[in-house]
Amino acid sequence: MPGSPVIVSLPIADRSTSHRFYSAALGLATVGEPAADGIPEPLQFAVNDGLRLMLVPSGGFGWVIGDHEVADRGRSECVLGLTVQSPAEVHRIVEQAQSAGARIVTPPAAQPWGYAGTFADPDGHLWLVTAA
């Protein structure tokens, strides 16, 4: 297991929309061979050497979660976090995400615990970008 990446799976509404968003907003590269639609199946992105993000259409998410319900759009059970080097980098990533279709939830600003901004991806999943 030490060599295996951790995979975070999230339900999505549309593969093409999510593929475009994560490529443009965070500059993530896909993992795997393209399917007939030109997008890898399953749709996975390499976040870093130890972490992958897998995006699963909501209708197919049930095979993983069994009798649990997929959270309604806009209801978050987790917040995904990115740590960057500076407040300027927080602004850059949040603005880049917004340009790619994100909704800004909390504009980048100084908080009592650090400098951060939060955005929601096209499916409502929250990303918190914090300066180290």
Side-chain angles (χ1 to χ4, degrees), residues 1-125:
M1 183 152 133
S4 300
V6 171
I7 299 174
V8 173
S9 299
L10 299 174
I12 59 170
D14 182 76
R15 284 170 36 86
S16 295
T17 299
S18 294
H19 179 255
R20 279 190 307 274
F21 177 79
Y22 280 96
S23 296
L26 300 177
L28 298 178
T30 54
V31 176
E33 295 298 316
D37 63 0
I39 300 170
E41 176 59 42
L43 178 53
Q44 288 190 51
F45 290 93
V47 178
N48 59 37
D49 288 340
L51 179 63
R52 289 188 183 170
L53 178 64
M54 181 163 39
L55 304 174
V56 181
S58 296
F61 210 70
W63 63 268
V64 174
I65 63 173
D67 64 353
H68 290 263
E69 292 183 33
V70 175
D72 291 334
R73 189 176 191 283
R75 298 195 100 132
S76 298
E77 295 179 345
C78 72
V79 175
L80 302 157
L82 291 173
T83 302
V84 298
Q85 297 300 310
S86 68
E89 187 75 354
V90 172
H91 279 274
R92 186 189 68 74
I93 290 174
V94 171
E95 288 170 3
Q96 186 172 302
Q98 184 177 31
S99 294
R103 180 178 62 85
I104 304 305
V105 175
T106 306
Q111 305 294 336
W113 42 268
Y115 197 92
T118 306
F119 65 86
D121 76 2
D123 291 287
H125 302 296

